[in-house]
Amino acid sequence: MSPKKVTQEAAGGTAGAGSATAAGKASKGFTAEERAAMKERAQELKAEAKKADGESAVLGKIAEMEEGDRTMAERIHAIVRASAPGLTPRLWYGMPAYAKDGKVVCFFQGAQKFNTRYATLGFSDEANLDEGNMWPVSFALKELTAADEARIAALVKKAVS
């Protein structure tokens, strides 16, 4: 989705979210959480244009999280920064993310973001995780053990290789 379209949708534009149909009924469109994420993305694009500090933005967003998500996000942030210091922290749809050459490689989505039962560590198509014809790019997280942290570090290193 283009940044312009995201901005239009976030502002209640022409994307069809919540717009009336020909019969006058409102479409189901985007959830309140999805609209909030799009608004956050529009703000992120404006901040990027102003060259805002991504590290501060990510740490600020992590600080706003509820305890369980915050603890995991802090650990993942530390793991990503240690495993791939070349990645640039930034916000992406209101989530802590890490980019290479301006493109998001991985991100953390807290459970509270979309009211899910687990947090998610995700990798974009920019991540070099390919293994044959099928490989995982998203991982559900309920808590982090030392073994989980080691696996995340290995995945992040592979993603940027």
Side-chain angles (χ1 to χ4, degrees):
M1 181 177 304
S2 73
K4 185 175 182 179
K5 188 170 182 180
V6 169
T7 304
Q8 287 176 337
E9 289 174 359
T14 61
S19 63
T21 63
K25 296 180 183 176
S27 68
K28 290 186 180 183
F30 296 108
T31 66
E33 292 85 1
E34 291 167 330
R35 285 192 302 277
M38 288 185 287
K39 286 179 183 178
E40 286 178 321
R41 182 65 183 138
Q43 291 171 343
E44 293 159 14
L45 291 170
K46 289 177 186 177
E48 286 172 19
K50 295 177 184 177
K51 303 293 184 199
D53 178 27
E55 179 85 15
S56 295
V58 166
L59 292 175
K61 185 57 74 172
I62 290 171
E64 293 173 6
M65 293 179 179
E66 292 177 7
E67 178 57 34
D69 286 345
R70 184 174 54 249
T71 301
M72 274 195 278
E74 289 169 344
R75 285 300 310 137
I76 288 173
H77 180 75
I79 292 165
V80 171
R81 299 299 281 148
S83 302
L87 291 180
T88 304
R90 61 178 274 200
L91 291 178
W92 188 60
Y93 293 96
M95 297 176 283
Y98 305 88
K100 180 178 180 181
D101 300 326
K103 297 180 180 181
V104 170
V105 174
C106 61
F107 62 91
F108 174 79
Q109 176 184 301
Q112 72 186 29
K113 181 73 176 172
F114 294 109
N115 301 316
T116 58
R117 65 184 180 94
Y118 52 80
T120 304
L121 174 65
F123 293 87
S124 74
D125 62 332
E126 296 295 322
N128 295 318
L129 297 177
D130 304 38
E131 289 182 11
N133 294 321
M134 188 171 108
W135 58 90
V137 294
S138 183
F139 298 86
L141 305 171
K142 291 186 91 171
E143 63 181 63
L144 292 177
T145 65
D148 298 328
E149 291 180 6
R151 183 171 181 205
I152 290 169
L155 283 167
V156 170
K157 287 177 184 175
K158 183 176 180 182
V160 297
S161 65

